[in-house]
Amino acid sequence: MKRLAAAMLLAGISHTLHADEPFVVQDIQVEGLQRVALGAALNNLPFNVGDSVTDFTLSRSIKTLFSAGHFDDIRVLRDGNTVIYRLKERPTINSIEFDGNKDIKDDQLNESLSAQRIEVGEPLDRTILRSVENGLTEFYHGVGKYQASVEVELVYLPRNRVNVKIKFDEGDAASVRQINIVGNEIFDNDTLLRVFESGQDKPWWRFMGSDRYQKQTLQGDFERMQSYYLDRGYLRFNIDSSQVSVSPDKSSVYVTLNVTEGEQYTVTGVRFAGDLIGQDTLIERIVPISPGELYNGALVTYSEETISRILARFGYANSRVTTIPDINDDTKEVELTIHVDPGKRIYVRRIDIAGNANTKDEVFRRELRQLEGGWLSNDALELSKQRIQRLPYVERIEFETRDVPGIEDQVDVTFNVREQPSGSFNAGISYGDFQGLAFQIGVEQTNFMGSGNSAGINLNTNKYQKTLALNYNNPYFTLDGVSLGGQVFYTKTDYSSLSSNLEAYRQTRYGFGASMGIPINEYNRLNFGATISFNNLSLLQDYDQLRHFKNVLLDGNDPDGRLKYVNYELTAGWVQSTLNRGLFPTAGHYFGLNGRISTPNSDLQFFKTSFEARKYIPLSRDHSWTFMSKLELGYGNGYGSRNGYDHTLPFNENYTAGGYNIRGFEHRIIGPRAVFRLPTSIPGLPDPITGGSTNLPGDPSTDRYSVSQRSIGGNAMAVATLELITPTPFVGEDNRNSVRTSIFLDAGNVWDTEFDFNRYANLTQQRQFDREPLLADYSDPTMIRVSTGVSLQWISPMGPLTFSLAKILNKYEGDLQENFSFNIGTTF
């Protein structure tokens, strides 16, 4: 195009020259310059003052000036021995606007135009605009929009400037009206079309796939159909030709394929050639192709990829593995030769960390399993990526390798990190009919000062609880990944208000503890800890489940005094995690088993165990659709005895459910209720001193009982969750890892395995309130609570937030919650 434009312009140039006689240039004059400097224009000329020039020299100078890209029109004249250039500069691009583009984003267009030097501040080359129009039109045709048009509009401004506006009329995409396959006899059209992503225009198909024609998608369909035959032994299958016809109105596309199926071929043997780097036995063992089987293209590809991965583990990152078939068309047999060329062993010269504005390099480097100076291992790189991705302050991590210039066997590796808020500032205020007015404030930092250590101070206060906690944890106290942490805490609780949903009592608890974690391997870890806590209890109610606990601790000389005890507790746990992310995982599993026990010298002797399992199964390639299942189990009890009574799990250590683990129910509302026995009495003899009437205990079989509306929890818990993670509407690709939408089903219960509720079987319940619960509904482990709804989770700049709207599926008489509940929280 440039040559054609130059030729046309040269044909229109007017100048007065003597054709063949050379002359000595005494002066060079340039007219028409505005933006381009005179020196820049003269530098492009092939001669200087004092040089002898001819007509050919002058015509060559015009081409040279055009190649600089600054001028639209060039005229050269001669006045004696003076050469005069009259130039018309190209206008400068003042702005670039796009209108009507949906399939192509503005960023993509700007990047493409910049590659052709069409950007703000650059001179405008009109010859390129035509190629831009044609290229964009071809793109739309490739995605099935044959009615699309692209028009470039120029708006000229003063001072030789121009605004470039590209108008798009994308139109509707053509649909695949019909796909015809000609020549197939073994498999019918319906069978083959099931492997196609391109769908025919059928009324029901719009819900199952896309009928929009796209050239790349159709090409992929051809490859999938070929693989379908190759995987079933049809080694000579071939697509002879393909035709794509467009309807006159350009709204429909008709596709015709002509194929040759051939016959099935059997594998007679597999041989290896080339350099197997001493791993002959391993490589031969992992190839799943056996003599006597039908040829299978998928197994051949799998074998090649697996051998390449094995070679990459030993530093041969650029290996080439090819399978050469020796086909006998007479016997319909094929012998496979797998040729292995490992290439040169590649070493890592340097590893760089990029994108970490808040976190120190060493925090990421200690997670790396690929070392500088070592072999380049794809397995080590992927494992390094997974470990960094699990950090809670990392949103995304990718790596790239770059060849070292001039050195064939070395590469540099760069890990590109995208960080996310590493801490949380929790502040909230809420009001509920039963919870009352509640305030909350807290600060937590999981990446304290970019060190990877977690530190926090949390202050929470509401109508029934005030908590202050300080914690710190160093996940790499040693280079081997042994963690060390500690905490100091103070809690003052007053459950005398109805808003607590728990039976009334007051407690003050304070203490301190330390914890340590030991890695076993890449996916397993052991945790240990020790805590000392000082506890004061008061204002305990006289319900039946509490009497045994009081008998263990109560001072016989002060039956109305406070209950004080000191506990020395040890914890141990095991965690196995293969999750692909620290927050919002979409693949892998998590298993956690934890135990806590008070030592024999503690005032209360008990143990608690808990187990959590989560499994994430991606349903789509991009993990935007994921199925998650979760199971939580808990059990606790006492051991030993005191004051002649066996220890049980303290009532304030009971498990509770509702709110955070079974959404839709009020916080801690699920579980056994307090039972108050109401003894009967009979009139006795008059008091001999006062003469007043007296009452004597009646027959215990005639006692009555009442059930509290508030929960006391239990020593056993089971909660299960099924969750479908879905794409979040109106959220772009860049924020997908920060926002999560899901549809959930929660089910579970809390119960008591030690208290005998059957003792009330023959007694009458005295219902003091209209909504007083039925004892059977809250003492039976099989009365499972179920809720379903939708949840939105967001990693905000102030920390993680959860919004859920839930409907309770099985209400029982006495439940305090409504059918629909809207919860806001800061826990996942």
Side-chain angles (χ1 to χ4, degrees):
M1 293 295 293
K2 290 182 178 179
R3 291 177 179 175
L4 179 60
M8 294 174 63
L9 289 169
L10 284 171
I13 292 176
S14 61
H15 52 84
T16 305
L17 296 172
H18 295 285
D20 298 322
E21 295 182 6
F23 66 95
V24 177
V25 177
Q26 294 181 351
D27 189 18
I28 301 175
Q29 297 180 5
V30 180
E31 301 175 357
L33 293 180
Q34 298 181 30
R35 179 180 53 85
V36 180
L38 177 61
L42 294 177
N43 285 337
N44 291 308
L45 295 178
F47 60 87
N48 296 311
V49 173
D51 291 345
S52 178
V53 299
T54 64
D55 291 357
F56 175 76
T57 306
L58 295 178
S59 29
R60 189 177 62 177
S61 71
I62 296 175
K63 295 180 181 179
T64 305
L65 286 174
F66 265 116
S67 65
H70 298 296
F71 307 106
D72 266 344
D73 186 35
I74 301 175
R75 296 174 182 242
V76 58
L77 302 102
R78 175 182 170 187
D79 183 8
N81 289 341
T82 299
V83 178
I84 303 171
Y85 286 91
R86 292 179 179 172
L87 308 176
K88 182 180 180 181
E89 292 184 354
R90 288 177 176 173
T92 303
I93 299 176
N94 181 68
S95 68
I96 302 175
E97 300 178 10
F98 309 108
D99 181 29
N101 55 307
K102 295 180 181 178
D103 283 2
I104 312 178
K105 304 301 181 185
D106 288 2
D107 292 342
Q108 295 174 300
L109 289 169
N110 281 319
E111 183 178 352
S112 177
L113 293 176
S114 295
Q116 302 180 66
R117 297 195 64 182
I118 300 180
E119 52 188 338
V120 174
E122 292 292 328
L124 175 65
D125 186 351
R126 293 180 180 84
T127 61
I128 298 179
L129 294 180
R130 178 58 61 183
S131 65
V132 169
E133 290 179 344
N134 294 335
L136 291 172
T137 302
E138 286 297 322
F139 166 81
Y140 282 110
H141 289 178
V143 297
K145 292 193 171 184
Y146 290 99
Q147 301 176 1
S149 63
V150 180
E151 180 184 358
V152 178
E153 180 181 287
L154 301 178
V155 179
Y156 292 92
L157 304 174
R159 300 192 303 277
N160 201 26
R161 295 174 301 139
V162 63
N163 289 341
V164 179
K165 187 173 184 179
I166 304 179
K167 294 183 177 181
F168 297 82
D169 184 4
E170 295 183 340
D172 296 326
S175 61
V176 180
R177 181 70 63 181
Q178 190 174 3
I179 301 177
N180 296 316
I181 303 176
V182 180
N184 56 311
E185 297 178 357
I186 300 169
F187 302 107
D188 57 29
N189 285 8
D190 291 340
T191 300
L192 296 177
L193 290 177
R194 291 193 190 103
V195 304
F196 278 47
E197 286 189 8
S198 301
Q200 298 187 66
D201 189 15
K202 299 179 180 179
W204 52 269
W205 193 263
R206 297 183 184 277
F207 298 98
M208 303 297 294
S210 174
D211 61 358
R212 172 177 173 174
Y213 170 76
Q214 295 192 54
K215 184 177 180 180
Q216 292 181 344
T217 303
L218 189 62
Q219 188 63 40
D221 290 335
F222 296 167
E223 296 176 1
R224 277 183 284 273
M225 184 173 64
Q226 186 167 19
S227 298
Y228 186 85
Y229 276 92
L230 292 177
D231 295 348
R232 289 157 179 79
Y234 295 93
L235 189 56
R236 291 298 193 186
F237 172 82
N238 185 56
I239 299 177
D240 300 323
S241 62
S242 62
Q243 298 88 34
V244 177
S245 302
V246 184
S247 63
D249 61 359
K250 299 182 180 180
S251 64
S252 302
V253 170
Y254 298 84
V255 181
T256 302
L257 301 177
N258 295 280
V259 303
T260 299
E261 292 178 314
E263 299 185 34
Q264 290 179 308
Y265 284 72
T266 303
V267 177
T268 59
V270 180
R271 297 190 302 111
F272 293 89
D275 184 4
L276 305 186
I277 65 169
Q279 301 296 322
D280 305 49
T281 303
L282 174 61
I283 291 176
E284 292 174 2
R285 188 178 301 167
I286 57 94
V287 173
I289 304 173
S290 302
E293 297 180 348
L294 287 175
Y295 176 85
N296 189 314
L299 291 182
V300 171
T301 302
Y302 170 81
S303 301
E304 294 173 346
E305 293 176 349
T306 303
I307 294 173
S308 296
R309 285 197 296 268
I310 291 175
L311 297 175
R313 290 172 53 188
F314 295 93
Y316 298 94
N318 298 324
S319 63
R320 290 187 299 173
V321 181
T322 55
T323 302
I324 305 171
D326 183 9
I327 303 174
N328 188 327
D329 290 321
D330 295 331
T331 62
K332 300 300 182 290
E333 293 177 333
V334 57
E335 183 180 27
L336 302 178
T337 300
I338 301 179
H339 186 271
V340 179
D341 179 11
K344 290 188 176 182
R345 177 172 281 175
I346 306 300
Y347 295 86
V348 176
R349 184 186 69 166
R350 186 176 70 245
I351 298 177
D352 297 319
I353 308 295
N356 52 321
N358 302 317
T359 308
K360 299 176 182 177
D361 274 17
E362 65 183 49
V363 175
F364 298 119
R365 290 186 180 276
R366 65 193 184 191
E367 303 291 342
L368 297 180
R369 294 302 178 260
Q370 173 67 66
L371 302 179
E372 292 180 335
W375 302 333
L376 176 66
S377 170
N378 287 340
D379 288 349
L381 289 174
E382 287 293 338
L383 183 57
S384 302
K385 175 183 174 180
Q386 291 176 11
R387 291 184 62 87
I388 295 176
Q389 186 71 77
R390 293 191 197 121
L391 298 175
Y393 38 86
V394 174
E395 179 180 339
R396 185 181 303 165
I397 173 73
E398 299 292 342
F399 65 83
E400 59 179 349
T401 59
R402 301 184 310 279
D403 295 334
V404 177
I407 305 178
E408 295 182 358
D409 61 348
Q410 290 187 13
V411 296
D412 292 334
V413 180
T414 300
F415 284 87
N416 296 293
V417 181
R418 180 173 177 177
E419 297 174 302
Q420 63 187 9
S422 59
S424 61
F425 175 78
N426 303 325
I429 179 172
S430 62
Y431 180 82
D433 292 341
F434 290 89
Q435 181 178 338
L437 189 63
F439 299 92
Q440 177 176 299
I441 185 172
V443 178
E444 188 76 24
Q445 178 65 254
T446 58
N447 186 19
F448 184 65
M449 298 181 68
S451 65
N453 302 337
S454 62
I457 174 171
N458 280 282
L459 172 64
N460 292 283
T461 176
N462 54 38
K463 195 171 183 178
Y464 51 85
Q465 190 176 60
K466 296 176 177 61
T467 300
L468 176 63
L470 305 175
N471 61 79
Y472 188 85
N473 184 69
N474 183 353
Y476 274 84
F477 182 72
T478 69
L479 295 178
D480 296 329
V482 175
S483 64
L484 186 65
Q487 62 171 336
V488 179
F489 56 88
Y490 173 85
T491 302
K492 186 174 183 180
T493 305
D494 183 0
Y495 287 133
S496 60
S497 168
L498 283 174
S499 63
S500 67
N501 285 335
L502 289 178
E503 194 57 48
Y505 71 91
R506 292 175 182 170
Q507 177 183 15
T508 301
R509 183 173 183 266
Y510 58 93
F512 57 90
S515 61
M516 179 179 65
I518 302 175
I520 303 301
N521 53 37
E522 298 294 346
Y523 304 105
N524 294 273
R525 188 178 187 87
L526 298 178
N527 299 308
F528 303 95
T531 302
I532 301 176
S533 65
F534 302 88
N535 303 266
N536 293 327
L537 293 171
S538 64
L539 203 65
L540 274 64
Q541 302 301 300
D542 195 25
Y543 54 89
D544 284 14
Q545 294 99 319
L546 193 59
R547 290 178 180 176
H548 186 93
F549 174 79
K550 284 185 175 182
N551 291 331
V552 173
L553 275 184
L554 198 61
D555 184 355
N557 297 322
D558 186 13
D560 297 324
R562 289 174 176 265
L563 296 172
K564 301 179 181 180
Y565 61 93
V566 179
N567 274 356
Y568 305 91
E569 300 172 4
L570 301 176
T571 59
W574 161 74
V575 171
Q576 182 185 89
S577 176
T578 63
L579 300 178
N580 62 338
R581 289 176 46 79
L583 292 176
F584 294 164
T586 56
H589 68 262
Y590 172 90
F591 297 135
L593 178 63
N594 294 284
R596 179 161 66 97
I597 186 171
S598 61
T599 60
N601 62 327
S602 299
D603 292 331
L604 296 178
Q605 297 172 201
F606 67 92
F607 66 90
K608 291 184 72 174
T609 59
S610 62
F611 174 75
E612 179 183 351
R614 282 181 286 147
K615 177 70 174 179
Y616 294 84
I617 303 175
L619 303 180
S620 60
R621 292 182 180 179
D622 61 356
H623 292 201
S624 60
W625 293 85
T626 300
F627 176 76
M628 189 274 286
S629 59
K630 180 180 177 182
L631 176 65
E632 292 181 84
L633 302 175
Y635 177 77
N637 214 328
Y639 70 93
S641 61
R642 180 180 178 182
N643 297 334
Y645 294 93
D646 291 337
H647 283 281
T648 60
L649 184 68
F651 74 97
N652 55 341
E653 294 286 349
N654 279 344
Y655 297 98
T656 60
Y660 63 96
N661 53 3
I662 304 182
R663 288 158 283 192
F665 290 84
E666 290 193 21
H667 193 51
R668 296 191 297 257
I669 196 63
I670 297 175
R673 306 302 174 93
V675 181
F676 296 86
R677 187 159 184 152
L678 308 174
T680 58
S681 59
I682 58 174
L685 296 175
D687 187 282
I689 298 177
T690 63
S693 61
T694 60
N695 293 324
L696 299 177
D699 185 352
S701 63
T702 64
D703 289 352
R704 303 168 72 87
Y705 69 90
S706 65
V707 179
S708 172
Q709 287 185 315
R710 296 195 283 182
S711 172
I712 60 172
N715 70 320
M717 179 190 70
V719 175
T721 295
L722 300 178
E723 198 157 347
L724 177 63
I725 300 169
T726 67
T728 304
F730 312 113
V731 173
E733 181 71 20
D734 293 341
N735 296 316
R736 193 180 69 180
N737 293 330
S738 299
V739 182
R740 167 165 290 181
T741 304
S742 61
I743 303 171
F744 64 84
L745 177 70
D746 294 337
N749 200 10
V750 174
W751 66 96
D752 195 325
T753 65
E754 295 300 306
F755 188 76
D756 183 14
F757 290 96
N758 291 326
R759 68 181 69 178
Y760 306 100
N762 298 321
L763 302 182
T764 302
Q765 179 175 350
Q766 178 177 313
R767 308 190 72 187
Q768 299 177 350
F769 307 99
D770 293 339
R771 298 183 63 187
E772 181 173 319
L774 296 175
L775 181 61
D777 290 346
Y778 294 90
S779 60
D780 186 354
T782 64
M783 306 299 284
I784 298 174
R785 267 51 179 180
V786 182
S787 68
T788 185
V790 295
S791 176
L792 175 65
Q793 296 171 307
W794 173 42
I795 303 178
S796 71
M798 296 187 300
L801 295 175
T802 299
F803 304 87
S804 61
L805 179 63
K807 176 178 173 59
I808 298 169
L809 300 182
N810 56 343
K811 286 188 61 178
Y812 294 97
E813 189 170 359
D815 282 351
L816 301 180
Q817 64 284 331
E818 299 298 332
N819 271 333
F820 286 94
S821 174
F822 180 74
N823 297 329
I824 302 177
T826 56
T827 58
F828 288 100

